[in-house]
Amino acid sequence: MIGYNLEIDLGNSYCKWRLVCGAMVVVRGVSQTQKELDAEMFNDIAKLVVVKVSVCSVVSDIVNRQISALVDGLWGVRAEYFTVQAQCAGVTNSYAVPEKMGADRWLASIAAASLYPRQELCIADCGSAINLEFVTASGVHIGGYILPGLRLMQQALLKNTAKVSSAAIQADLQLGVDTQSSVANGCLLMAVAVLEKLQRKMQQKEGLLLLTGGDSAVLKNYIEGDNVIYLPELVLQGFAFIE
């Protein structure tokens, strides 16, 4: 009987997961963290034999316990939560207190350095926040930046602007012709401008800009360069290198 590994990236907005067998991804799924974390999210795989569950989480202990109870009830498996260390898989952490670093940021850095060894790297994880991590060719995480993501930027403007009720659903880099599109397009422009600057910076170092996270599916269409790589599952890919 085939045994599968379940890998979970548990973020503030979405829970992304995939079932793997060796190096092959069997099935993927995504649910909203605040609304859809129940047995239904695993309907397609509930009857399969899951032997290991690996979780990278940045959410509360309450939500973590919810996931733990869910996988234990379905497969009788204890969820293993990834923790941040001073060193892992040949990568050195820049934090004085490594445990204070977000687990997703650390696992993405490990995945990037493992997939592209001896390269200067910038990892842009574009989700609720835009996490920017820098890893040297020698495998040292030297620091990063955290910016609001596209949705948070829009919400900040909408919350503090009395006459703006909602942002445009679709954003592009055209000039806005009403307040809603001006907000949405302006936020997109800011994110693109940051990523373009980083793309140029990495190009000067003969390094790579790696794009991941939910909003990277949109942002990658605006960032040009041979050194730009789109890796939508970079955090989940990190599990393969921490065994």
Side-chain angles (χ1 to χ4, degrees):
M1 185 176 294
I2 298 176
Y4 299 91
N5 292 349
L6 177 62
E7 300 171 343
I8 300 175
D9 176 9
L10 189 50
N12 290 305
S13 297
Y14 292 97
C15 174
K16 293 176 284 187
W17 59 268
R18 65 184 193 177
L19 195 70
V20 299
C21 183
M24 182 178 66
V25 178
V26 179
V27 63
R28 297 174 171 86
V30 61
S31 301
Q32 293 186 45
T33 301
Q34 302 303 323
K35 297 179 180 180
E36 301 173 347
L37 296 188
D38 54 41
E40 290 186 5
M41 65 188 283
F42 295 130
N43 274 348
D44 292 342
I45 62 172
K47 294 183 179 180
L48 299 178
V49 178
V50 173
V51 297
K52 183 176 182 180
V53 177
S54 303
V55 184
C56 178
S57 173
V58 297
V59 300
S60 68
D61 289 340
I62 293 175
V63 179
N64 288 337
R65 287 194 292 269
Q66 185 179 356
I67 286 291
S68 294
L70 185 58
V71 300
D72 181 48
L74 286 170
W75 301 291
V77 176
R78 180 179 61 85
E80 300 176 14
Y81 287 82
F82 173 72
T83 58
V84 182
Q85 312 90 5
Q87 289 187 319
C88 183
V91 185
T92 302
N93 197 303
S94 65
Y95 271 39
V97 183
E99 295 81 5
K100 292 185 177 294
M101 185 183 195
D104 56 343
R105 298 173 58 202
W106 182 229
L107 192 53
S109 299
I110 290 169
S114 301
L115 290 168
Y116 301 98
R118 297 177 294 281
Q119 289 265 16
E120 295 288 331
L121 302 171
C122 174
I123 304 103
D125 190 344
C126 307
S128 299
I130 298 176
N131 297 322
L132 303 170
E133 316 300 335
F134 293 83
V135 179
T136 68
S138 59
V140 179
H141 177 277
I142 56 174
Y145 303 103
I146 300 178
L147 311 175
L150 295 177
R151 186 175 304 174
L152 283 179
M153 282 193 275
Q154 290 189 23
Q155 289 174 347
L157 282 170
L158 300 176
K159 182 178 179 181
N160 295 287
T161 307
K163 293 185 178 181
V164 182
S165 58
S166 62
I169 296 176
Q170 297 294 330
D172 56 43
L173 295 185
Q174 300 298 316
L175 297 174
V177 293
D178 53 40
T179 306
Q180 287 79 9
S181 62
S182 295
V183 167
N185 295 0
C187 293
L188 178 61
L189 178 63
M190 288 181 65
V192 169
V194 169
L195 294 177
E196 284 182 335
K197 181 178 180 65
L198 294 176
Q199 183 272 326
R200 293 192 297 270
K201 180 177 181 178
M202 298 313 295
Q203 194 169 47
Q204 291 170 358
K205 295 183 175 184
E206 297 184 351
L208 302 174
L209 172 62
L210 309 182
L211 301 179
T212 191
D215 284 340
S216 63
V218 173
L219 290 165
K220 69 180 177 63
N221 298 318
Y222 299 96
I223 312 300
E224 298 181 354
D226 294 338
N227 65 328
V228 180
I229 301 175
Y230 174 54
L231 298 165
E233 295 182 335
L234 185 61
V235 172
L236 292 173
Q237 286 178 276
F239 285 118
F241 303 105
I242 61 171
E243 301 298 335

